[in-house]
Amino acid sequence: MIVGVDVGTSVTKAQLIARDGRTTPAHEARSTLYTLPGNRVEQDMDEVIGTVVTVVRAAVADAAQLDPHEPIEALALTGQGDGLWLRDAHGRPVGRALSWMDGRAAPVLDKWAADGTAREVHRRTGAGMFPGAAGPLLAHLAAHEPERLEAADVAGYCVDAIAQRFTGERTVDASDASVPFLDVARRTYDDEALELCGLGRWRGLLAEPAPPGALFGLLPKVAAELGLPPGLPVSAGPFDIPACGFGSGLERVGEGNLIIGTTLACQVLGDDPAPGAGDEAAGMILATPYQDRYLRVMPAMIGTAGLDWLLGMLGVRIEELDALLAQSPYGAAGVTALPFLSTSGERAPFVDARARGRLDGLSPLTGRADLVRALCEAVAYSARHCLETLGVDGAVTACGGGARSGEWGRIFAGVLGRDVHVREDAVGIRGAARVAWRALGVAAEGFGAAAEGRVARADDEAVAFYEDGYHRYLDTLETARRSW
């Protein structure tokens, strides 16, 4: 069995997973998200690592429940990507970590968008940058707090920060390193992209990506703290988006996955690492642990966070969502929405820090159910926009908190014009464990496309209605983008 850990933005989870796919209940611990003036969002690295220790110890205590005769074979880490987690040569934090939600570097990105830097980096590496990406954040610190970069040995990410503390290794998973400076085909950094962003001087802060199948040994002191044997293999990645994709069963080129979480991540498995040649310098291409396989990803900023905001404004509990959606017809009785409710704007399928949400078509007859359905339909339209941009042509799976809603799942299926296969059980941890077992040379069961889950069916009437609605959404979006 494997101890799987998923370090979310504010909640860390851990559980045991057996070779046959069985799991123990997840243990959770919360960490603090510091939201500060100037669109700054930060986390305390030591606190986050402390949550990992807490949940791993709790998970290890469950081993006898899963199988008293099966040993723990590895610790598999996944978690939030992007942002900037600066640390010294001993793995200690150099100031608070800058979250992927941080918006302080928006002026940097505006400049790069205006002078063509962002587009040229995208052309070279396939990475569409946004304010919370490592590139703009590094450039912001280089201009305003260079002393922090001078004090740092590594400019990395959440998962490799934990891996360094647990194993002593200065490393990074290729999925994290992919954004924004990695040539994913060669798995080496594109020095020209760094120079374009004025960051050539800081190239030494970037850890070299670990080769596929890399495992690291757990340090004795950390092992004692976690209740695990010293030297236990540790797998550090991929980060949460690709981990959820592989945990949901992505296997064939063209298959897609939706992570309907705080934000909406859309991804499609491909065999071509070449950056797209579209009009928008958005999305990303990620290296994966698998030979000649890459993930094209559109990690939109919209998702359940915007829905939570609306439900809170309306005084509606999340448990009432399905019943509320069922009260409003296709098209939400004429109400339409643009779902861009993040203070950081949007990053996929376009990048614009000024993007904001809208509700249109209101009348005295509009009810709470119509407002909620309009927003849920708009998120589904954005998902289709992302998946079509990525070139999906196979089966689509969905996971994340929003995927638990049966009514919202049917909206997604209708908008996408295809059935959606929903995975609800620990998909990020399953993906991380799948990668760890592959590295161990172990054939584990229960992780392929045949993994159990329910299906949100695409109703013919809904598909026909939403085909028109989708094109109206695109027209509204095009007009709105000129006015932001």
Side-chain angles (χ1 to χ4, degrees):
M1 68 184 79
I2 279 178
V3 185
V5 182
D6 187 351
V7 186
T9 304
S10 56
V11 178
T12 300
K13 300 179 182 179
Q15 61 192 134
L16 296 173
I17 184 164
R19 292 188 184 188
D20 61 7
R22 291 177 300 119
T23 62
T24 55
H27 295 273
E28 299 184 356
R30 299 194 68 86
S31 53
T32 307
L33 202 63
Y34 296 93
T35 303
L36 306 166
N39 290 327
R40 294 179 297 155
V41 183
E42 301 175 350
Q43 289 193 272
D44 185 307
M45 186 187 301
D46 288 333
E47 181 190 36
V48 172
I49 292 174
T51 67
V52 178
V53 173
T54 297
V55 296
V56 169
R57 287 180 61 88
V60 169
D62 293 338
Q65 300 177 26
L66 193 60
D67 189 336
H69 305 295
E70 184 177 334
I72 293 176
E73 301 168 90
L75 174 64
L77 303 174
T78 187
Q80 58 180 297
D82 298 306
L84 195 63
W85 296 60
L86 294 172
R87 50 200 193 265
D88 65 19
H90 301 287
R92 295 184 296 250
V94 180
R96 283 183 183 157
L98 279 57
S99 168
W100 62 270
M101 300 174 68
D102 196 282
R104 74 186 73 189
V108 173
L109 199 61
D110 286 343
K111 177 180 179 297
W112 289 352
D115 66 16
T117 298
R119 181 171 297 281
E120 181 60 17
V121 171
H122 182 266
R123 186 188 69 80
R124 298 187 65 87
T125 69
M129 292 183 286
F130 64 100
L137 290 173
L138 276 169
H140 175 89
L141 292 183
H144 299 283
E145 299 180 68
E147 66 279 2
R148 287 187 63 183
L149 300 186
E150 294 284 2
D153 179 69
V154 185
Y157 307 87
C158 176
V159 174
D160 53 270
I162 298 164
Q164 184 176 15
R165 192 70 65 87
F166 282 9
T167 71
E169 297 287 344
R170 185 186 192 271
T171 186
V172 64
D173 188 78
S175 63
D176 265 319
S178 295
V179 185
F181 297 124
L182 195 71
D183 179 327
V184 297
R186 296 189 298 122
R187 291 180 179 257
T188 58
Y189 293 109
D190 186 313
D191 290 331
E192 180 62 26
L194 281 157
E195 292 294 343
L196 284 166
C197 295
L199 295 171
R201 174 187 173 189
W202 307 106
R203 166 67 175 80
L205 294 179
L206 305 181
E208 292 302 318
L215 294 169
F216 311 101
L218 196 61
L219 293 170
K221 182 178 180 180
V222 178
E225 193 174 6
L226 297 175
L228 291 169
L232 183 78
V234 177
S235 174
F239 75 90
D240 55 4
I241 292 178
C244 283
F246 293 124
S248 294
L250 282 181
E251 290 184 344
R252 298 179 179 85
V253 171
E255 290 182 337
N257 172 250
L258 298 174
I259 306 172
I260 313 169
T262 302
T263 57
L264 176 73
C266 308
Q267 54 189 327
V268 174
L269 189 64
D271 56 6
D272 183 2
D279 294 333
E280 303 281 358
M284 57 187 71
I285 300 174
L286 303 181
T288 78
Y290 306 108
Q291 183 71 26
D292 298 326
R293 291 294 180 266
Y294 308 90
L295 281 170
R296 294 185 176 273
V297 183
M298 290 282 179
M301 297 296 288
I302 63 172
T304 60
L307 177 62
D308 289 343
W309 168 82
L310 181 59
L311 294 178
M313 291 283 286
L314 299 175
V316 175
R317 295 179 298 111
I318 188 65
E319 293 79 9
E320 302 173 72
L321 176 61
D322 274 9
L324 207 59
L325 290 175
Q327 294 172 24
S328 183
Y330 302 145
V335 180
T336 61
L338 291 180
F340 310 112
L341 294 168
S342 167
T343 55
S344 299
E346 188 50 281
R347 59 178 176 171
F350 60 90
V351 178
D352 193 331
R354 300 163 299 175
R356 292 296 180 265
R358 278 173 40 176
L359 286 166
D360 293 313
L362 306 180
S363 80
L365 301 178
T366 299
R368 294 187 304 174
D370 302 321
L371 297 175
V372 173
R373 188 175 187 97
L375 183 60
C376 288
E377 289 179 345
V379 173
Y381 287 143
S382 181
R384 176 172 170 179
H385 194 184
C386 289
L387 286 175
E388 287 189 349
T389 302
L390 294 169
V392 68
D393 61 7
V396 174
T397 57
C399 58
R404 299 191 184 102
S405 167
E407 289 294 331
W408 202 3
R410 282 186 279 275
I411 290 174
F412 275 101
V415 169
L416 296 176
R418 67 183 75 207
D419 293 347
V420 175
H421 303 265
V422 180
R423 311 287 188 246
E424 296 182 353
D425 181 26
V427 288
I429 285 175
R430 285 185 182 277
R434 180 180 176 182
V435 170
W437 264 312
R438 182 184 178 93
L440 290 168
V442 171
E445 303 171 3
F447 291 91
E452 292 184 6
R454 60 183 173 83
V455 179
R457 300 291 181 187
D459 176 80
D460 290 343
E461 182 182 355
V463 171
F465 181 91
Y466 287 128
E467 184 65 26
D468 290 337
Y470 174 61
H471 293 289
R472 290 194 297 271
Y473 166 84
L474 293 180
D475 290 341
T476 301
L477 175 59
E478 184 179 353
T479 300
R481 291 187 64 183
R482 293 194 292 266
S483 65
W484 286 330

